[in-house]
C-alpha cells in the first residue's frame, strides 16, 4: 500500500519574508502579511507572536493595527509565495521522493513508496525533513498516512511536528477530526455545521443519498478519498532539465523477467542521454504506470555520479520483486532525478600506478537495501568519545589519523557504563570489577593512561582527569576501564569507575 506524506508550512509567507529581510526586521516584533482587494485590506498570514496577541488570518488590517501598536505590516506577495513553494517541491523531489506535488498554497504532498528506505524509514524521513526545513528558517509540520486526505488533514490539525499513522489505521486517526479536514468549500462546511455535523465521523455516519441531494457529490468523494475507498493519484511535478526515458506498451506486461528486460533497455537509453549532456545520475527513479491508473515507484540512490547502464540496472532491478503489477503495467519510465557533471577519465596503465579498488558499487547496493552506511574518521581530541565522527561511506580520505601512543579498543561504547571495582588508590588497576551483573577477576593490567579534560571547551573540565587501564580477566577478555579523577583530589572527578570499551 502506498504511503503519502503531507508537509504543511503554517507560516510560509512570514518565514519567507524573515529569510529575505534577514536582520532588517526586528525578530521580537509581531509580523503580519496584508492582502488587498480594492479598498479592503485583511491579514493573509501572521507569525506566532502576532497570533499569541489575538490577531487572526482574515481579520481586517485596521483592527489589527489598532490592537497592536508596534505591529510590523508587510504587503502580501502571493506570486513570490507560490514560487518559493515550487522551489521547495523541486528540492523535495530530488532529495526525498520520486512523486512530489504542490498541495494548495501552503503545503506539499509526496508518495514515499519505494524511497523511504533511503532515509532509514518513515520516522527518520519525517524528522529529517522537518529539521532540514527548520535549519533554513522554515516552520514545517509533516504527517504520513495511507491516503493523501488523511495526511493532509493530520499535518494541518495536529500540533505535533511529525505524525505517523500506522498502515490500516486511517479511520481511527481521522474519525474525530473537524470537517474542515475534508478540503470542502467554505459554504459546504457552513451548511454541514448548520445541520449539527462537526466531525468526520458524524459526516461518515450520514446517509449518502440525502447528503448528495443537498450538497452534491463532493462530501462523499472527499470522505472516500480520505478513507482510501477512492484513489487520489498525485501528479508529480516535472521540469525540462530532468533526463527521462519511457516506454508505452500496446499490451500490459507483468512478469518480473519482462519488467527487468525493459528496465535494462530504458537504462541504456538514459545512460546515452546522460553521456550526451556530460552528466551522471545521483538518484534514479523507476516509475511504473499500471492500467488501473495507479503508479508505483522505486528509487535508487548512488554515492557518486554514475551513468554505467549495468550498475544502474542492477540497482533498479534489485528490488523488482516489490513491484505489484496488478492488472498489468502499461508504461515504464526511468528518470535521473538528481544529476551532477561527470567528465570522462583516462584509465591509467597498471604499469604506472596501482589500481585502487572502488567500493562505491557495494555501498550503493547495501544503501538501497535500507542499510545506514558510514565510516568513522578521526577528530583532533584526546577525549575518546570526541575523537571520532561519522562520515559518508564513500567520502574521500580526510588526511587525518589517530595518534597511536596507547592501544585503543575495537569497540568503543557510546556511553561509558558504570562498574563496581575493588582497587587500591590512587594508581593501582582494578583487582576485581563487576559489569552488567557479572563479576570478573583481573589477571593482567596495563596503565594508567591519564587523559585531561578539555578546559577550553567547558570550564568545568579545567581540573577533570581520567585514568584509563587495559585489563584482562580470567577468560582472556580485555576491557578498557577508567577511574574518574586522580584518586586523591575530589575536584578532579567522582572517583567512580566506568567501562568504556572492549578489545576484539
Amino acid at each position: 500500500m502506498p504511503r503519502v506524506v503531507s508537509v504543511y508550512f503554517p507560516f510560509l509567507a512570514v518565514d519567507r519574508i524573515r529569510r529575505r529581510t534577514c536582520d532588517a526586521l526586528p525578530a521580537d516584533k509581531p509580523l503580519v502579511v496584508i492582502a488587498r482587494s480594492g479598498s479592503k485590506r485583511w491579514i493573509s498570514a501572521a507569525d506566532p507572536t502576532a497570533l499569541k496577541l489575538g490577531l487572526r488570518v482574515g481579520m481586517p488590517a485596521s483592527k489589527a493595527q489598532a490592537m497592536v501598536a508596534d505591529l510590523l505590516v508587510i504587503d502580501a506577495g502571493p506570486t513570490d509565495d507560490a514560487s518559493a513553494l515550487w522551489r521547495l517541491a523541486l528540492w523535495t523531489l530530488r532529495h526525498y521522493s520520486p512523486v512530489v506535488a504542490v498541495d494548495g498554497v501552503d503545503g506539499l504532498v509526496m508518495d514515499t513508496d519505494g524511497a523511504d528506505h533511503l532515509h532509514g524509514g518513515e520516522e527518520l524521513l519525517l524528522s529529517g525533513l522537518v529539521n532540514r526545513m527548520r535549519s533554513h528558517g522554515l516552520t514545517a509540520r509533516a504527517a504520513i498516512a495511507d491516503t493523501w486526505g488523511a495526511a493532509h488533514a493530520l499535518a494541518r490539525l495536529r500540533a505535533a511536528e511529525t505524525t505517523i499513522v500506522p498502515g490500516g489505521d486511517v479511520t481511527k486517526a481521522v474519525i474525530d477530526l473537524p470537517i474542515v479536514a475534508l478540503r470542502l468549500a467554505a459554504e459546504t462546511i457552513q451548511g454541514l455545521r448548520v445541520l449539527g455535523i462537526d466531525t468526520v465521523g458524524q459526516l461518515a455516519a450520514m446517509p449518502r443519498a440525502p447528503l448528495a441531494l443537498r450538497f452534491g457529490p463532493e462530501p462523499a468523494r472527499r470522505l472516500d478519498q480520505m478513507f482510501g475507498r477512492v484513489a487520489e493519484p498525485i501528479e508529480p511535478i516535472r521540469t525540462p532539465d530532468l533526463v527521462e526515458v519511457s516506454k508505452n506498451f500496446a499490451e500490459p506486461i507483468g512478469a518480473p523477467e519482462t519488467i527487468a528486460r525493459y528496465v535494462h533497455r530504458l537504462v541504456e537509453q538514459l545512460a546515452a542521454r546522460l553521456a550526451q549532456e556530460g552528466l551522471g545520475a545521483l538518484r534514479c527513479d523507476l516509475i511504473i504506470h499500471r492500467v488501473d491508473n495507479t503508479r508505483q515507484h522505486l528509487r535508487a540512490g548512488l554515492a557518486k555520479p554514475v551513468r554505467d547502464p549495468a550498475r544502474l540496472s542492477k540497482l533498479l532491478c534489485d528490488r523488482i520483486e516489490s513491484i505489484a503489477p496488478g492488472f498489468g503495467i502499461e508504461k515504464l519510465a526511468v528518470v535521473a532525478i538528481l544529476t551532477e557533471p561527470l567528465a570522462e577519465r583516462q584509465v591509467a596503465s597498471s604499469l604506472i600506478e596501482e589500481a585502487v579498488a572502488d567500493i562505491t558499487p557495494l555501498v550503493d547496493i547495501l544503501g538501497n537495501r535500507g542499510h545506514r552506511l558510514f565510516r568513522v574518521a578521526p577528530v583532533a581530541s584526546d577525549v575518546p568519545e570526541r575523537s571520532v565522527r561519522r562520515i559518508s561511506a564513500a567520502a574521500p580520505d580526510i588526511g587525518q589519523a589517530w595518534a597511536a601512543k596507547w592501544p585503543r579498543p575495537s569497540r568503543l561504547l557510546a556511553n561509558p557504563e558504570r562498574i563496581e571495582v575493588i582497587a587500591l588508590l590512587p594508581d593501582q588497576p582494578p583487582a576485581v570489577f563487576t559489569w552488567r551483573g557479572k563479576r570478573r577477576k583481573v589477571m593482567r593490567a596495563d596503565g594508567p593512561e591519564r587523559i585531561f579534560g578539555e578546559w577550553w571547551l567547558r570550564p568545568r573540565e579545567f581540573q577533570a582527569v581520567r585514568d584509563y587501564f587495559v585489563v584482562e580477566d580470567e577468560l582472556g577478555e580485555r576491557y578498557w576501564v577508567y577511574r574518574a579523577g586522580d584518586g586523591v583530589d575530589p575536584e578532579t572527578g567522582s572517583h567512580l569507575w566506568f567501562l568504556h570499551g572492549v578489545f576484539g
Side-chain angles (χ1 to χ4, degrees):
M1 178 180 292
R3 299 285 281 169
V4 181
V5 173
S6 179
V7 186
Y8 171 50
F9 301 98
F11 309 110
L12 178 63
V14 293
D15 286 345
R16 181 184 62 80
I17 290 170
R18 292 280 190 193
R19 289 187 65 208
R20 185 189 64 195
T21 55
C22 297
D23 298 330
L25 295 176
D28 57 338
K29 288 191 176 182
L31 171 67
V32 296
V33 179
I34 301 297
R36 302 171 181 267
S37 178
S39 60
K40 186 178 179 182
R41 300 167 65 245
W42 70 93
I43 297 176
S44 62
D47 69 0
T49 306
L51 295 176
K52 289 178 182 177
L53 294 174
L55 305 185
R56 294 291 179 266
V57 174
M59 178 183 289
S62 57
K63 181 178 179 181
Q65 289 175 306
M67 290 176 59
V68 181
D70 58 348
L71 186 64
L72 298 175
V73 176
I74 304 293
D75 288 335
T79 303
D80 294 335
D81 293 339
S83 177
L85 195 60
W86 177 262
R87 291 193 299 272
L88 285 170
L90 288 178
W91 176 83
T92 307
L93 175 72
R94 293 187 173 99
H95 292 87
Y96 282 93
S97 171
V99 180
V100 178
V102 173
D103 188 7
V105 297
D106 55 8
L108 305 174
V109 61
M110 56 183 175
D111 185 346
T112 61
D113 182 32
D116 57 355
H117 67 285
L118 297 176
H119 303 277
E122 294 177 348
E123 185 176 353
L124 289 177
L125 184 148
L126 288 190
S127 60
L129 176 59
V130 170
N131 289 336
R132 290 184 75 173
M133 293 297 179
R134 184 188 298 113
S135 69
H136 289 86
L138 296 172
T139 304
R141 298 205 297 263
I144 186 167
D146 292 339
T147 65
W148 182 349
H152 176 98
L154 293 168
R156 285 156 177 77
L157 298 175
R158 290 268 181 95
E161 281 192 337
T162 61
T163 302
I164 299 177
V165 179
D169 286 354
V170 164
T171 302
K172 183 166 57 176
V174 304
I175 200 73
D176 294 324
L177 293 180
I179 54 174
V180 293
L182 289 170
R183 297 172 289 168
L184 296 170
E187 57 270 18
T188 302
I189 293 174
Q190 182 61 32
L192 291 170
R193 284 174 173 166
V194 169
L195 296 178
I197 301 172
D198 295 316
T199 67
V200 172
Q202 292 173 339
L203 183 61
M206 287 278 295
R208 289 291 180 95
L211 189 67
L213 185 63
R214 181 159 184 173
F215 298 102
E218 191 65 7
R221 186 177 73 90
R222 287 301 192 187
L223 275 174
D224 290 340
Q225 288 176 342
M226 176 174 279
F227 292 129
R229 304 184 192 117
V230 173
E232 188 176 9
I234 302 171
E235 191 62 37
I237 61 172
R238 284 292 181 262
T239 58
D241 60 328
L242 292 181
V243 183
E244 180 174 0
V245 294
S246 61
K247 171 68 175 178
N248 291 288
F249 304 104
E251 293 292 334
I253 65 171
E257 58 274 10
T258 306
I259 298 172
R261 183 169 67 251
Y262 282 107
V263 168
H264 280 280
R265 294 179 184 177
L266 288 172
V267 169
E268 288 176 356
Q269 298 175 26
L270 182 74
R273 289 270 305 275
L274 291 171
Q276 291 175 3
E277 301 184 23
L279 300 174
L282 275 172
R283 283 187 178 86
C284 203
D285 295 338
L286 172 63
I287 304 177
I288 301 103
H289 298 257
R290 300 189 294 204
V291 295
D292 59 355
N293 199 30
T294 59
R295 298 187 184 94
Q296 193 175 354
H297 318 88
L298 298 178
R299 168 162 286 189
L302 297 112
K304 63 181 183 182
V306 169
R307 58 169 176 258
D308 178 17
R311 188 165 160 191
L312 291 172
S313 297
K314 179 173 177 56
L315 292 177
L316 291 175
C317 293
D318 194 35
R319 294 166 50 233
I320 210 166
E321 71 279 355
S322 65
I323 296 176
F327 295 106
I329 297 170
E330 62 181 2
K331 181 182 177 181
L332 288 176
V334 179
V335 188
I337 209 73
L338 182 61
T339 59
E340 281 188 4
L342 180 61
E344 298 290 347
R345 185 176 63 88
Q346 183 176 357
V347 179
S349 169
S350 59
L351 297 174
I352 301 174
E353 68 178 51
E354 182 179 354
V356 178
D358 185 6
I359 65 166
T360 53
L362 177 61
V363 170
D364 292 339
I365 291 173
L366 296 177
N368 282 282
R369 290 177 181 175
H371 300 284
R372 305 285 286 178
L373 303 177
F374 62 88
R375 287 165 46 208
V376 292
V379 176
S381 175
D382 288 332
V383 180
E385 60 266 32
R386 299 176 189 165
S387 65
V388 296
R389 64 185 176 97
R390 293 184 179 187
I391 62 174
S392 169
D397 188 2
I398 63 174
Q400 296 180 0
W402 284 283
K405 298 178 182 178
W406 293 81
R408 289 290 184 260
S410 56
R411 179 190 172 200
L412 190 71
L413 302 184
N415 297 297
E417 296 184 12
R418 175 78 184 280
I419 57 176
E420 300 295 330
V421 167
I422 297 176
L424 291 175
L425 296 180
D427 296 324
Q428 297 301 309
V432 177
F433 70 95
T434 303
W435 178 50
R436 294 182 178 178
K438 184 176 179 181
R439 184 180 177 90
R440 294 171 170 85
K441 184 179 179 180
V442 176
M443 307 302 294
R444 300 174 184 83
D446 187 17
E449 173 195 358
R450 177 157 292 181
I451 292 179
F452 293 89
E454 296 178 332
W455 53 267
W456 57 92
L457 296 179
R458 292 189 296 182
R460 63 181 179 173
E461 294 187 26
F462 184 76
Q463 291 181 298
V465 296
R466 292 178 183 175
D467 284 341
Y468 278 86
F469 295 86
V470 178
V471 299
E472 182 178 317
D473 66 8
E474 63 270 24
L475 298 178
E477 297 175 344
R478 294 192 302 153
Y479 304 91
W480 205 38
V481 302
Y482 73 86
R483 181 188 61 238
D486 61 5
V488 177
D489 186 356
E491 293 294 326
T492 61
S494 62
H495 296 167
L496 298 175
W497 287 82
F498 297 87
L499 190 145
H500 203 169
V502 179
F503 290 86

